[in-house]
Amino acid sequence: MAKAFNKKVKPMIFKLGQLVLKRIFLHQNEAKGKFAPNWQEPYMVHRVLIGGALILAEMDGEVWPKAIYADAVKRYYI
């Protein structure tokens, strides 16, 4: 069963400078209700860490001090 499941799972690979959207979690101030957006503005991938973690930077160049796991972001297509 695991073999059949793993056939369809594709790893998310992020590269430096790629644009991503960050998920808004329920405990954040931006989560305001049912019809609020689920994703925050585009961020740029600043560093890719081992284990699937990312260090993000805002579009103006300010780097976030904390890492975020890759399952909480998705690629942003322009």
Side-chain angles (χ1 to χ4, degrees):
M1 201 158 133
K3 185 178 177 183
F5 175 78
N6 289 335
K7 276 194 231 178
K8 297 195 183 237
V9 174
K10 295 180 183 177
M12 296 189 330
I13 300 171
F14 294 101
K15 298 177 183 172
L16 298 179
Q18 197 173 33
L19 296 178
V20 296
L21 295 174
K22 188 174 88 64
R23 179 178 294 280
I24 296 176
F25 295 109
L26 294 176
H27 65 278
Q28 290 179 321
N29 293 336
E30 290 88 10
K32 295 190 186 224
K34 183 175 181 177
F35 298 108
N38 294 328
W39 300 93
Q40 286 180 337
E41 60 192 65
Y43 294 95
M44 196 171 7
V45 176
H46 182 70
R47 281 181 55 196
V48 179
L49 304 175
I50 55 174
L54 303 170
I55 303 263
L56 301 179
E58 293 184 15
M59 296 303 287
D60 62 356
E62 183 181 341
V63 178
W64 280 41
K66 293 185 178 181
I68 187 166
Y69 286 114
D71 62 343
V73 297
K74 70 177 180 179
R75 189 163 177 211
Y76 178 67
Y77 297 96
I78 297 177

